[in-house]
Amino acid sequence: MCHVIVTCRSMLWTLLSIVVAFGELIAFMSTDWLVGFPRTPDAVFGPHGATAAGEAYRPTLGIYGRCIKLPHLRRGVLCGPYAVHFGEIASGFWQAASIFLAAGILLLCAVAFISVFTMCFQSIMKKSIFNVCGLLQAIAGLFLILGLMLYPAGWGSDKVQLYCSQDAAPYQAGLCTMGWGFYTAMGGTVLTFICAVFSAQAEIATSSDKVQEEIEEGKSLICLL
């Protein structure tokens, strides 16, 4: 018989696992990892003569995407991938970082998917599903840390120097500042380890004596604070 067990701690762990997975995925896809130094688009020549150069703006650069301002486009800012193939990513360090980050995000997405079903299934192959998911989240966190450590090592590439000046070097961002994508990835990594630790609390909450008493009473839907 399937018992649906919902507790505050298990539900909080589930929601946090989903938020972390989506947060890391959005950060990875973001073009706002590095914010370049201010620059002004060149003047545009149209049918009525030359127009004034546009207002100063700061281009942004992600692991495989970028946002730049093109004066001849009405919408102004053009965002998209600069790397069509994996080998076109700015540097080898960024290629390695993208592999580790993608592996970590894949594990987090798998855990987020599994966590939805923990209300009905609390074990898999006689192992606590919360403990298994917590272990996967810890492994994902290690992958994310490796990716974030390798990422600044690629700041010396030609692509980064184009956005951050010639002063850019490994672990030195030159005239660039860090964008929200990088900080979101860092925050998501911290929350990943919090989720891994909190999974133990979710396991304790769903296997408590109160839950067992509810099961013995024949209840199929168990909700506890």
Side-chain angles (χ1 to χ4, degrees), residues 14-184:
T14 298
L15 293 176
L16 194 58
S17 297
I18 294 173
V19 169
V20 167
F22 275 100
E24 286 289 348
L25 181 60
I26 292 173
F28 181 74
M29 297 172 63
S30 168
T31 59
D32 285 74
W33 283 63
L34 282 174
V35 180
F37 61 87
R39 62 193 70 189
T40 303
D42 297 332
V44 180
F45 290 88
H48 302 290
T51 60
E55 296 180 356
Y57 79 104
R58 302 188 70 176
T60 59
L61 180 66
I63 295 178
Y64 65 89
R66 51 80 181 113
C67 281
I68 56 176
K69 192 171 186 178
L70 300 177
H72 63 275
L73 291 180
R74 289 186 177 180
R75 59 181 178 177
V77 178
L78 175 66
C79 296
Y82 69 83
V84 179
H85 305 290
F86 181 75
E88 296 179 354
I89 293 177
S91 73
F93 288 109
W94 282 18
Q95 292 174 4
S98 63
I99 291 175
F100 284 116
L101 291 173
I105 292 170
L106 182 62
L107 287 176
L108 290 179
C109 289
V111 171
F113 178 77
I114 295 172
S115 67
V116 177
F117 299 96
T118 55
M119 293 182 293
C120 296
F121 306 98
Q122 287 76 46
S123 63
I124 179 172
M125 297 179 65
K126 297 183 179 181
K127 299 290 184 180
S128 169
I129 196 168
F130 295 102
N131 292 339
V132 172
C133 287
L135 177 61
L136 292 177
Q137 287 174 327
I139 295 173
L142 293 177
F143 282 146
L144 295 176
I145 287 178
L146 288 173
L148 291 175
M149 290 177 63
L150 287 170
Y151 171 72
W155 288 350
S157 66
D158 294 338
K159 188 72 173 180
V160 174
Q161 289 182 350
L162 183 64
Y163 284 73
C164 305
S165 80
Q166 296 297 320
D167 294 332
Y171 297 97
Q172 295 181 6
L175 298 179
C176 282
T177 57
M178 307 311 301
W180 66 264
F182 179 78
Y183 290 117
T184 301

